[in-house]
Amino acid sequence: MSITRRPTRQIRVGKVAVGGGAPISVQSMTNTDTRDIAATVAQIQRLARAGCEIVRLAVPDQEAAAALARIKAQVDIPIIADIHFDYRLALAALEAGVDGLRLNPGNIGGPGRVKAVVKEASARRVPIRIGVNAGSLEKEAMAAHGGVTAAAMVASAMKHIRLLEDLDFYDIKISLKAAEVPLMLEAYRQLAGQVDYPLHLGVTEAGRGLEGAVKSAVGIGILLNEGIGDTIRVSLTGDPVQEVVAGFAILRSLGLRQRGIELISCPTCGRCQVDVEGVVARVQQDLQDVARPLKVAVMGCAVNGPGEARQADVGIAGGPGFGLLFRHGRPVRKVKEEDMARALIEEVRRLVAEEEEEENANE
């Protein structure tokens, strides 16, 4: 069953269309010091190889703002400047050529300062993301709506939206992030019924590794399944490349995007006769750069293994000390257990190369 997405107006973040039926984009944020240009560029390039489509950078001071132009000149994906409190940093980021701003207009000073930023953003056709976070709600919103509630978050977002609309600025996207999934869900649902701007989804401070990915998948996945959401970020503690991997996994699980390897592997049980976990870990690590959507299976015994391996584009089914390699349902060869991961990786890369060669020949 296909998902009917909420209709929204469309904006552009650099070369990436957001909303208005455009594919849901996967975003991340660097955790390097933006002032360290080499480290930041290297991390953005790693993110781009993993499929990241938009990246956000912290801009805490003028030195970081000054680094943006040199960073942008060395990367190919759109850059969003994350601005808090100081409108001069927003102006400097715009001058550096960023593709988007993340700020709350009510937090950067009086009307004159907001107008200055909006005027420059409008002239450069740079969108602004209003980012409401449950951890930093205004006291007035909390007082009017009984504390940190979905209604308070929506009221905060609407206040900032009106500041921009009053200046005839409509290149807006909005996020309403919270660490508590039920609160985040309710806030997005309420706002989705009030505005037609594209929404950026995320569970903030989701945590590390598996726990953070699960929490994000529940919150983001529920809203996406309801048709809400135009961009996503999985906020994980640690290497931001894993945010991108998790983001595409969420979209793939709902049939919304197809990118990279979908890995099917058995949970292992007493019948397992090979090191499935070890094979899976190596396959995941070595094939992160594969963008072509492929289904790859790693199975550990003769009960479900051959059937699952045959249904994958490339699969391997383990037996006592060996693995049987399949490609598009046909057995390819038998390999020793210690060679299973290598053989599977090589077969995937061979398949990708052959398919790309065939496509190029048909162009």
Side-chain angles (χ1 to χ4, degrees):
M1 189 178 78
S2 62
I3 294 171
T4 301
R5 292 176 59 194
R6 161 181 166 265
T8 70
R9 66 178 67 201
Q10 187 172 97
I11 64 171
R12 296 195 71 86
V13 183
K15 62 185 178 182
V16 177
V18 176
I24 296 166
S25 56
V26 175
Q27 302 188 23
S28 186
M29 184 173 183
T30 55
N31 59 13
T32 55
D33 185 335
T34 305
R35 295 163 292 199
D36 186 338
I37 294 170
T40 302
V41 167
Q43 188 170 84
I44 293 172
Q45 290 171 341
R46 288 181 59 235
L47 287 165
R49 286 194 294 271
C52 183
E53 292 162 311
I54 299 172
V55 65
R56 179 160 51 108
L57 277 64
V59 185
D61 56 30
Q62 285 292 343
E63 186 181 353
L68 292 173
R70 292 174 61 190
I71 292 169
K72 184 166 171 54
Q74 299 178 64
V75 301
D76 293 325
I77 62 175
I79 286 178
I80 293 178
D82 190 83
I83 307 294
H84 293 279
F85 310 124
D86 190 343
Y87 83 106
R88 293 169 297 182
L89 296 178
L91 292 175
L94 290 167
E95 179 66 25
V98 297
D99 302 288
L101 295 176
R102 187 278 191 194
L103 56 81
N104 289 338
N107 295 339
I108 60 171
R113 294 177 177 182
V114 175
K115 186 174 182 179
V117 172
V118 169
K119 180 181 179 181
E120 190 67 19
S122 182
R124 295 174 179 270
R125 305 191 70 178
V126 171
I128 294 174
R129 170 158 74 90
I130 293 169
V132 174
N133 193 304
S136 56
L137 275 178
E138 302 95 328
K139 292 179 180 178
E140 308 82 54
M142 290 190 288
H145 297 277
V148 181
T149 63
M153 294 175 68
V154 171
S156 175
M158 293 303 300
K159 182 188 79 171
H160 295 301
I161 290 168
R162 291 188 186 101
L163 285 173
L164 296 182
E165 290 179 339
D166 287 346
L167 294 169
D168 292 324
F169 188 87
Y170 303 95
D171 284 342
I172 301 169
K173 63 176 175 173
I174 309 153
S175 64
L176 296 161
K177 295 185 180 182
E180 296 77 27
V181 170
L183 175 60
M184 167 259 198
L185 292 174
E186 184 56 29
Y188 275 108
R189 285 167 176 157
Q190 287 187 21
L191 186 66
Q194 297 185 38
V195 298
D196 67 349
Y197 294 112
L199 299 180
H200 170 69
L201 304 185
V203 179
T204 193
E205 293 101 28
R208 180 179 180 272
L210 179 62
E211 183 176 356
V214 169
K215 194 173 183 180
S216 295
V218 171
I220 295 171
I222 287 173
L223 289 172
L224 290 175
N225 194 56
E226 295 174 4
I228 297 172
D230 303 282
T231 74
I232 65 172
R233 180 198 173 192
V234 178
S235 299
L236 298 177
T237 302
D239 184 356
V241 168
Q242 296 308 310
E243 298 184 350
V244 179
V245 174
F248 276 106
I250 292 169
L251 294 175
R252 185 170 55 235
S253 70
L254 292 166
L256 290 166
R257 293 285 299 272
Q258 297 298 324
R259 185 193 188 278
I261 301 298
E262 179 183 0
L263 192 58
I264 299 165
S265 60
C266 65
T268 72
C269 67
R271 292 189 299 269
C272 187
Q273 297 174 292
V274 295
D275 179 17
V276 170
E277 185 177 2
V279 174
V280 167
R282 183 173 166 190
V283 169
Q284 282 183 320
Q285 179 63 36
D286 285 18
L287 296 180
Q288 278 191 27
D289 63 312
V290 176
R292 182 171 290 271
L294 291 175
K295 187 176 289 187
V296 176
V298 180
M299 306 301 293
C301 78
V303 176
N304 295 318
E308 291 286 1
R310 282 192 181 96
Q311 293 174 36
D313 294 298
V314 181
I316 199 159
F322 72 91
L324 186 58
L325 185 67
F326 291 85
R327 175 168 164 172
H328 291 323
R330 296 188 299 275
V332 175
R333 64 184 181 276
K334 193 175 181 178
V335 299
K336 295 179 181 178
E337 178 180 356
E338 58 266 29
D339 295 327
M340 284 175 59
R342 178 184 57 78
L344 186 62
I345 291 164
E346 289 177 353
E347 196 64 34
V348 169
R349 294 203 177 279
R350 189 176 295 115
L351 175 60
V352 170
E354 290 173 5
E355 290 185 349
E356 289 178 349
E357 184 179 351
E358 183 178 350
E359 288 175 359
N360 291 335
N362 292 331
E363 287 181 355

